[in-house]
Amino acid sequence: MRTATITRNTAETQIEVTLNLDGTGRYDNQTGVGFFDHMLDQLSRHSLIDLTIRATGDLHIDDHHTVEDTGIAIGQALTRALGDKTGIRRYGHFNLAMDDTQVRCALDLSARPFLVWNVDFPTEKIGTFDTELVREFFQALSTHGGITLHVDRIHGLNSHHIAEAAFKSVARALREAVEPDPRMAGVLPSTKGAL
């Protein structure tokens, strides 16, 4: 079973993430940050990765630690669930349209984390949620998931649509990358012999 549970406890947050790479996109995410929960639901639904998250954070300060630490925990759970990555597709990409917005993602489960983020927002907030935290989440996910992650906003007018398209685009690319490749069963998708 390609599943994992990660518990992360700090002075700022207490987070538990459980995921199943071979799921159907079922989710139950409760972080105390409504818009972020909505984005995590999209990540699960469109990647077909079952995701359950319980997070308690220092929201009296702001949402930053909760969002970043959730990204860290999801990245760690993803790494654990993938194991040695034998037989996976490894690469994924998706170009997602959502109303006025188009966001492109390309990623590599390379164990070499790197984030290229060409996404800007016309507003600083979506409701009470700081739009800069979208990048913080994906930076944490990339770093702790060992993902080379490129995300580009092609165009977009509405901050909510831009954020949601980014999460959905990454989700669809991740879905492709973690899937078993029937032509590579038992084979590591690298000439190095390790990922």
Side-chain angles (χ1 to χ4, degrees):
M1 292 293 293
R2 299 192 306 159
T3 62
T5 297
I6 292 290
T7 301
R8 176 179 172 82
N9 291 312
T10 72
E12 299 165 339
T13 61
Q14 296 78 49
I15 297 172
E16 182 173 280
V17 170
T18 299
L19 61 74
N20 176 3
L21 298 180
D22 300 309
T24 58
R26 287 180 308 209
Y27 53 84
D28 183 6
N29 301 312
Q30 298 177 28
T31 67
V33 182
F35 180 76
F36 185 44
D37 288 348
H38 179 48
M39 294 299 101
L40 293 171
D41 295 350
Q42 302 303 322
L43 184 67
S44 175
R45 172 69 70 205
H46 295 283
S47 67
L48 298 183
I49 296 172
D50 293 347
L51 193 57
T52 300
I53 299 172
R54 294 292 180 270
T56 303
D58 52 1
L59 300 181
H60 62 285
I61 297 174
D62 66 8
D63 301 339
H64 186 110
H65 297 140
T66 299
V67 171
E68 182 178 34
D69 287 6
T70 300
I72 290 170
I74 294 172
Q76 291 171 343
L78 182 64
T79 298
R80 183 175 294 172
L82 282 168
D84 68 1
K85 302 178 186 170
T86 297
I88 66 167
R89 294 187 185 275
R90 177 180 166 181
Y91 299 99
H93 68 281
F94 203 81
N95 201 20
L96 189 129
M98 181 177 174
D99 300 331
D100 55 283
T101 299
Q102 185 179 157
V103 174
R104 176 180 60 217
C105 172
L107 61 81
D108 177 9
L109 301 177
S110 62
R112 295 187 306 275
F114 197 92
L115 177 66
V116 175
W117 183 256
N118 293 312
V119 180
D120 56 349
F121 293 91
T123 63
E124 293 183 0
K125 295 213 178 257
I126 301 167
T128 61
F129 185 83
D130 294 326
T131 53
E132 69 180 12
L133 295 182
V134 178
R135 184 191 187 285
E136 292 301 317
F137 171 79
F138 285 115
Q139 180 67 68
L141 178 69
S142 169
T143 299
H144 293 270
I147 305 169
T148 301
L149 178 61
H150 293 235
V151 186
D152 300 287
R153 181 182 69 92
I154 308 305
H155 48 258
L157 302 172
N158 179 283
S159 292
H160 186 131
H161 294 164
I162 293 167
E164 189 164 338
F167 273 84
K168 288 178 175 178
S169 180
V170 171
R172 287 301 300 256
L174 197 56
R175 173 180 170 179
E176 181 179 358
V178 303
E179 283 182 346
D181 185 340
R183 296 179 64 193
M184 294 287 286
V187 178
L188 191 71
S190 173
T191 58
K192 290 184 172 68
L195 278 174

